[in-house]
Amino acid sequence: MSCSDLDGSYAVLGNTIDAGVLHARYRFQEAGLPARLALTAKRPHALLFFVKKRKAITGLREESAFTNWMLSKTYPFPVHSFTMRSSSSSVTELVSTTLYSMALIIDETADIFNRCVSRNFPVAMTGATLYNPAMPSRKKQILTGLDKVEQLWPKELRKARVGLLSHPASVNRKLDHAVNIFHGAKTFRLSALFGPQHGIYGQTQDNMVEWEGFLDPATGLPVYSLYGAARKPTKEMLQNIDVLALDLQDVGSRYYTFIWTLDLCMQACEAAGKPVVVLDRPNPISGSIVEGPVLDPAYASFVGLRPLTVRHGMTIGEIGAYLRDRFYPGLEYHIIPVQGWKRDQWFDQTGLPWVLPSPNMPTLDAALVYPGMCLFEGTNVSEGRGTTLPFEIFGAPFIHPDTLVAKLREFRLPGVLFRPLYFEPTFQKHKGLVCGGAQIHVTDRMKFRPFKTGVAILKAIHNTWPRDFAWKQPPYEYEDVKMPIDILAGTDRVRKEIEAWKDLDEMEQWWKIDVRAFEKIRKNYLIYK
């Protein structure tokens, strides 16, 4: 079969008859679309081929004789081409639509593959091997600090007694947990275990639920709670260890308490003369975008102890370097870095397994909207806890979904659409009551600004239902005086300007000034390019 057989609304491209090509043809047929093999002497440069009945879009990695020839042919359906190197946003836009029912990807192009998969868009691969969506390109394998812990463990700390702070997401590429890896290590000796909010096993489902320590049945070691009677390690907890190691998956937002558990551990270890080793992990929502106000120290709390923007664009190891330099200069601090990760990569581009870092952070999509939607913990509007889509859906019994979505469209927010819905939480706010609200659908995550979106939603609800909407009153996260919304935002300015009906774009201007100021500091602590 030759390229001249591309004479209709179907095609499967490939350079050999192999499992990948045959699988691609099968996927087209499974979708109810006719498929025909088209073989070429050389691997074609066509990257995407979208097909639906009499419509098609061809994406080109680069100009070539093959692609020029293909586009020069006359087809009984419209054909549009774009160059991948200059039009990556076009791919996002196309994949986010429902006009095309199949993406055929040639070569191992993880970025485009993941964009398709993240939007539940059917994908067929061609090439020598079938592509595993859970794995990145073989050219660069991304390894967390845990994956390389024994090889890169500081030489001066070999044979030390180690305390390990971990949680359910503390796993390596093979899903082996850090506790098991540390317990079997020959480079050091595991002597104690520590757990943050939600517990070392993630056993406390709801927010702000304390837990107490226990004896680990598998290792026989004590497990100390850092979200109970103590949030900072005590002298007694540290007395039988020489070094404290931390392996925690952060989600890129200042509110997420794991970075503040790190801060308190650094504080305690500096006082006790104990080194800290952070096993670094990627920032799941990429390390290239920074957004939101910088915390005013007057509003410091366990959802923000030190000046950071809401979306900080840093890894937990980089944040530790910032904290050590600025606040704990006497601390011996080590980072076992991530290998192969770049700042602009998202978690679904790493090939690493996603494990819930906390019970209400089930997906990368939840992490992406979290920098804005966590603000709703400071209101009487449900942020979706008690549902299967926490932070992605929101609402309250007094909200009319269609009215809300119409108001949100007026903001013309980039990279996001809203779908009206009703839901009934099984726990937390409005348990057992039918809530009207909306679901957030991110259509372009590079353009999407979660903090601005969260503030826009707050403004829409506040302005439309002023008699029903209310700010949550303290206590919240161990703060008994200040308003929860203020300690979340890191300032009272957001709340006061919403109450004053201030324009959203005008509000954004002052936190952009915060971002520019913080980025001058942040750049000194970035490890990854």
Side-chain angles (χ1 to χ4, degrees), residues 148-160 187-188 243 275-279 332-336:
K148 303 290 288 183
V149 62
E150 286 213 73
Q151 296 94 320
L152 300 180
W153 186 258
K155 292 181 179 179
E156 61 270 32
L157 299 177
R158 292 180 181 271
K159 305 303 180 183
T187 309
F188 43 78
V243 56
V276 168
V277 178
V278 171
L279 282 59
E332 183 182 336
Y333 179 73
H334 302 269
I335 303 171
I336 299 181

Side-chain angles (χ1 to χ4, degrees), residues 304-322:
L305 287 171
R306 305 293 184 184
L308 282 178
T309 48
V310 171
R311 183 178 182 179
H312 47 69
M314 303 172 77
T315 68
I316 192 168
E318 292 172 334
I319 290 175
Y322 160 70

Side-chain angles (χ1 to χ4, degrees), residues 30 147-148 150 194 228 366:
E30 188 179 43
D147 287 303
K148 303 290 288 183
E150 286 213 73
F194 297 79

Side-chain angles (χ1 to χ4, degrees), residues 91-133:
V91 178
T92 302
E93 180 181 352
L94 294 171
V95 171
S96 66
T97 71
T98 57
L99 295 177
Y100 310 99
S101 61
M102 181 68 71
L104 178 61
I105 301 177
I106 295 175
D107 258 330
E108 297 182 354
T109 309
D111 180 50
I112 306 304
F113 185 92
N114 286 320
R115 290 181 194 226
C116 294
V117 171
S118 68
R119 292 167 176 80
N120 296 318
F121 199 84
V123 176
M125 287 296 303
T126 74
T129 59
L130 293 180
Y131 191 87
N132 181 352

Side-chain angles (χ1 to χ4, degrees), residues 109-392:
T109 309
D111 180 50
I112 306 304
F113 185 92
N114 286 320
R115 290 181 194 226
C116 294
V117 171
S118 68
R119 292 167 176 80
N120 296 318
F121 199 84
V123 176
M125 287 296 303
T126 74
T129 59
L130 293 180
Y131 191 87
N132 181 352
M135 298 296 291
S137 169
R138 292 191 300 269
K139 294 178 181 178
K140 280 193 176 182
Q141 190 178 53
I142 295 175
L143 302 173
T144 67
L146 181 61
D147 287 303
K148 303 290 288 183
V149 62
E150 286 213 73
Q151 296 94 320
L152 300 180
W153 186 258
K155 292 181 179 179
E156 61 270 32
L157 299 177
R158 292 180 181 271
K159 305 303 180 183
R161 299 172 301 165
V162 179
L164 173 64
L165 171 58
S166 64
H167 63 166
S170 305
V171 296
N172 66 8
R173 292 183 61 86
K174 298 179 180 179
L175 292 173
D176 298 321
H177 195 270
V179 171
N180 297 327
I181 293 171
F182 271 63
H183 189 54
K186 298 179 180 179
T187 309
F188 43 78
R189 179 161 59 92
L190 183 63
S191 299
L193 300 171
F194 297 79
Q197 184 178 12
H198 300 294
I200 191 171
Y201 299 129
Q203 65 269 25
T204 57
Q205 163 62 245
D206 203 359
N207 198 27
M208 293 179 285
V209 176
E210 295 184 340
W211 62 280
E212 296 305 320
F214 56 92
L215 194 67
D216 179 52
T219 63
L221 297 173
V223 178
Y224 296 113
S225 171
L226 298 181
Y227 198 80
R231 281 173 292 145
K232 181 170 73 172
T234 64
K235 292 181 179 179
E236 291 73 24
M237 294 177 184
L238 298 175
Q239 65 181 357
N240 292 322
I241 67 171
D242 303 312
V243 56
L244 181 62
L246 297 90
D247 184 20
L248 300 172
Q249 177 62 65
D250 185 46
V251 298
S253 299
R254 188 184 67 217
Y255 328 113
Y256 215 52
T257 61
F258 298 152
I259 57 176
W260 307 120
T261 297
L262 166 64
D263 179 275
L264 294 175
C265 286
M266 294 174 74
Q267 187 180 133
C269 287
E270 182 187 46
K274 310 278 186 178
V276 168
V277 178
V278 171
L279 282 59
D280 211 5
R281 292 180 173 272
N283 184 321
I285 58 174
S286 90
S288 61
I289 302 174
V290 181
E291 189 195 11
V294 172
L295 174 80
D296 180 343
Y299 292 90
S301 72
F302 198 52
V303 289
L305 287 171
R306 305 293 184 184
L308 282 178
T309 48
V310 171
R311 183 178 182 179
H312 47 69
M314 303 172 77
T315 68
I316 192 168
E318 292 172 334
I319 290 175
Y322 160 70
L323 295 172
R324 187 263 182 191
D325 186 58
R326 294 269 168 159
F327 304 102
Y328 309 113
L331 175 69
E332 183 182 336
Y333 179 73
H334 302 269
I335 303 171
I336 299 181
V338 185
Q339 294 191 355
W341 182 71
K342 295 182 180 180
R343 302 211 71 80
D344 61 354
Q345 286 184 297
W346 298 69
F347 197 89
D348 58 7
Q349 297 168 331
T350 66
L352 298 170
W354 178 271
V355 176
L356 284 73
S358 59
N360 287 286
M361 197 60 62
T363 63
L364 175 60
D365 290 335
L368 175 55
V369 300
Y370 184 73
M373 297 311 295
C374 186
L375 293 171
F376 283 79
E377 291 186 7
T379 74
N380 67 339
V381 176
S382 169
E383 65 274 16
R385 290 182 186 272
T387 77
T388 56
L389 292 172
F391 304 110
E392 293 184 67

Side-chain angles (χ1 to χ4, degrees), residues 399-449:
I399 291 176
H400 187 279
D402 292 315
T403 301
L404 173 61
V405 170
K407 292 291 184 182
L408 290 172
R409 286 173 181 159
E410 295 175 4
F411 289 108
R412 299 182 179 276
L413 296 164
V416 64
L417 296 173
F418 299 93
R419 180 179 66 86
L421 58 65
Y422 290 93
F423 63 94
E424 183 179 310
T426 59
F427 63 86
Q428 254 256 6
K429 297 175 192 171
H430 311 305
K431 175 184 176 181
L433 299 177
V434 175
C435 297
Q439 180 176 354
I440 300 172
H441 292 265
V442 177
T443 57
D444 188 333
R445 61 189 184 184
M446 294 305 295
K447 294 180 180 178
F448 175 62
R449 292 296 176 262

